[in-house]
Amino acid sequence: MLEKGENKEYLPIEGLAAFNKATAELLFGADNPVIKQGRVATLQSLSGTGSLRLAAAFIQRYFPEAKVLISSPTWGNHKNIFNDARVPWSEYRYYDPKTVGLDFEGMIADIQAAPDGSFVLLHGCAHNPTGIDPTPEQWEKIADVIQEKKHMPFFDVAYQGFASGSLDEDASSVRLFVERGLEVFVAQSYSKNLGLYAERIGAINVVCSAPEVANRVKSQLKRLARPMYSNPPIHGARIVANVVGDPVMFGEWKQEMEEMAGRIKNVRQKLYDSLSAKDKSGKDWSFILRQIGMFSYTGLNKTQSDNMTDKWHIYMTKDGRISLAGLSLAKCEYLADAIIDSFHNIS
C-alpha cells in the first residue's frame, strides 16, 4: 500500500468496492446466482459487532414488531447489541449440559414456538462459546422450520475458514439457506481468520428476493450507517481486498488457515487423550472432539472454573469456556489434571 502511494481519503458510506465484492464472494461463492443476479446488499462495517449493530438498527426501524431469537448460551455481546438497538429478544435452547452437546429438539421446538416472522440469530460455524455446531442434516431441519414459520435467518459468521480450515465448508450453513431461496442476513468479521482484530473489518450482507429490493435495502443501511459512524476504515479493507485478489497471497492465506485449524484439532485430540488416560472414573470426554473452532466448552461450572484459576492458575471464562488457540500440546496434560481435579473434587 505504501509503495502504491494510496491515500487515507474517506471511503463511501458502503465501504471499499473491492472489499465488498471479495467478501460477498468468499461468503456465498463467486458463482452463486444471488451474486450474479445482484440480489445481495453488502455494506462494509465495523467488524462483526458493527455489522450486527447496523442490522439491529435496520430491524428496529423496518420490523418494529419483530423479535430476535438468540441461542442459549451465545456470544456475550449479542444481547448488548440488540438491547442497545431496542430490539426485543428471547432465547432458544441450544446447549445440553447432560451431553455437553446440542439440545437439537429443544432448539427446534423453540424456533417453532416463536411468533411467525421472527429473526433467528444463528452462528454460521464454530458456535461461540460452546464450539457445538449442528450437523448438515440438522441444518436442513432448522432451515425447514425457519422456512415454514416465515422467520428471517440472521447468521453471525465470525470464523469462516478458521473452524474447519476450509472457507467453503465453514460457509455451507449460510449457502444452504440461500440455495433454498430464503432472504438472509449475514454479519461477517475478519478479526480471527485474517488476524485483523484492531482494523475493525467486517460486513453486513442481506440476500434479497430481487435486485431492486437489494438496492433499497442497501440504500436504507447506508442511511443508518451515515449518522452512526459515517464511513468505515480503509486500511484493513484494502488488506482483505489485496489478499483475496492476489492468487499467490490468497493461496498462502488458505494454507495458513488450514494449518491453524489443524493445530487446534491436534490440541483437541491431545487434550481428549490426556483426559481419557488420566481420568479413571469412566467419564466420556469425547464431546471435546465433537466441538469445533477455537473454543471448547468444558462443562465446568463457575465454582469449578474458579478452582481452575485459584489452584491451577488456568485462566478461562466463568462459563467453563477455554480457548484452544491459547493451548500448546505441551500443556495438555497439565490442563487435563486441572480439569479432572476441578470436575471431580469441586461440587
Side-chain angles (χ1 to χ4, degrees), residues 62-75:
Y62 298 107
F63 299 87
E65 305 303 313
K67 189 163 78 168
V68 176
L69 297 178
I70 297 174
S71 67
S72 174
T74 192
W75 176 51

Side-chain angles (χ1 to χ4, degrees), residues 26-339:
L26 280 183
L27 182 60
F28 302 111
D31 52 1
N32 197 307
V34 292
I35 288 181
K36 291 183 168 167
Q37 293 157 10
R39 292 201 285 121
V40 185
T42 301
L43 239 82
Q44 180 194 334
S45 194
L46 310 182
S47 202
T49 302
S51 304
L52 288 159
R53 182 64 182 79
L54 193 58
F58 185 90
I59 294 168
Q60 195 269 335
R61 183 169 292 184
Y62 298 107
F63 299 87
E65 305 303 313
K67 189 163 78 168
V68 176
L69 297 178
I70 297 174
S71 67
S72 174
T74 192
W75 176 51
N77 216 11
H78 279 149
K79 293 172 184 176
N80 295 335
I81 288 165
F82 291 107
N83 284 341
D84 205 50
R86 294 180 170 79
V87 174
W89 54 267
S90 64
E91 292 181 308
Y92 59 84
R93 283 169 282 177
Y94 194 86
Y95 173 67
D96 181 355
K98 288 194 291 296
T99 61
V100 195
L102 179 63
D103 179 1
F104 184 62
E105 283 168 17
M107 178 185 187
I108 291 294
D110 291 346
I111 293 172
Q112 199 122 39
D116 287 17
S118 297
F119 282 75
V120 184
L121 189 66
L122 301 158
H123 298 226
C125 62
H127 183 273
N128 180 1
T130 67
I132 300 158
D133 285 355
T135 64
E137 297 71 37
Q138 287 171 331
W139 275 120
E140 292 278 1
K141 181 84 173 93
I142 294 163
D144 288 342
V145 177
I146 285 177
Q147 211 161 4
E148 181 191 310
K149 293 285 295 180
K150 298 183 172 59
H151 292 330
M152 183 74 81
F154 184 172
F155 282 91
D156 185 0
V157 178
Y159 303 97
Q160 189 184 351
F162 200 83
S164 67
S166 156
L167 286 163
D168 293 324
E169 199 176 314
D170 289 348
S172 60
S173 57
V174 173
R175 292 178 190 180
L176 163 74
F177 280 69
V178 170
E179 215 173 279
R180 288 185 171 217
L182 289 162
E183 293 192 301
V184 185
F185 281 67
V186 193
Q188 286 170 288
S189 164
Y190 286 90
S191 292
K192 287 86 181 171
N193 59 7
L194 208 46
L196 296 177
Y197 290 91
E199 299 293 350
R200 311 314 294 142
I201 300 300
I204 180 70
N205 303 266
V206 187
V207 179
C208 303
S209 55
E212 56 274 17
V213 181
N215 289 338
R216 290 200 292 270
V217 167
K218 187 171 185 176
S219 168
Q220 297 309 316
L221 285 168
K222 284 164 69 174
R223 283 187 65 191
L224 290 163
R226 177 75 175 113
M228 200 188 280
Y229 57 85
S230 212
N231 49 65
I234 197 166
H235 192 82
R238 282 206 180 116
I239 294 173
V240 176
N242 292 349
V243 168
V244 175
D246 179 308
V248 176
M249 282 199 286
F250 189 40
E252 275 178 30
W253 178 43
K254 287 197 282 193
Q255 192 184 335
E256 285 168 7
M257 274 191 294
E258 261 178 60
E259 283 170 17
M260 182 56 87
R263 193 197 79 79
I264 290 174
K265 284 176 193 166
N266 290 342
V267 166
R268 268 189 197 283
Q269 186 66 52
K270 179 78 194 289
L271 179 59
Y272 166 74
D273 291 344
S274 304
L275 284 164
S276 301
K278 289 169 178 285
D279 186 8
K280 305 301 179 214
S281 72
K283 178 174 165 59
D284 179 10
W285 294 98
S286 62
F287 61 82
I288 286 170
L289 299 178
R290 288 193 297 275
Q291 296 170 359
I292 191 169
M294 63 190 277
F295 299 120
S296 180
Y297 226 44
T298 58
L300 298 177
N301 61 32
K302 184 184 181 305
T303 319
Q304 292 166 336
S305 300
D306 285 339
N307 182 68
M308 294 280 285
T309 302
D310 299 342
K311 180 177 173 183
W312 295 87
H313 305 283
I314 290 167
Y315 297 85
M316 54 197 285
T317 56
K318 299 304 177 196
D319 54 7
R321 185 193 83 172
I322 54 172
S323 170
L324 297 171
L327 179 63
S328 67
L329 287 170
K331 294 276 169 69
C332 285
E333 297 211 354
Y334 182 83
L335 179 60
D337 287 333
I339 291 172

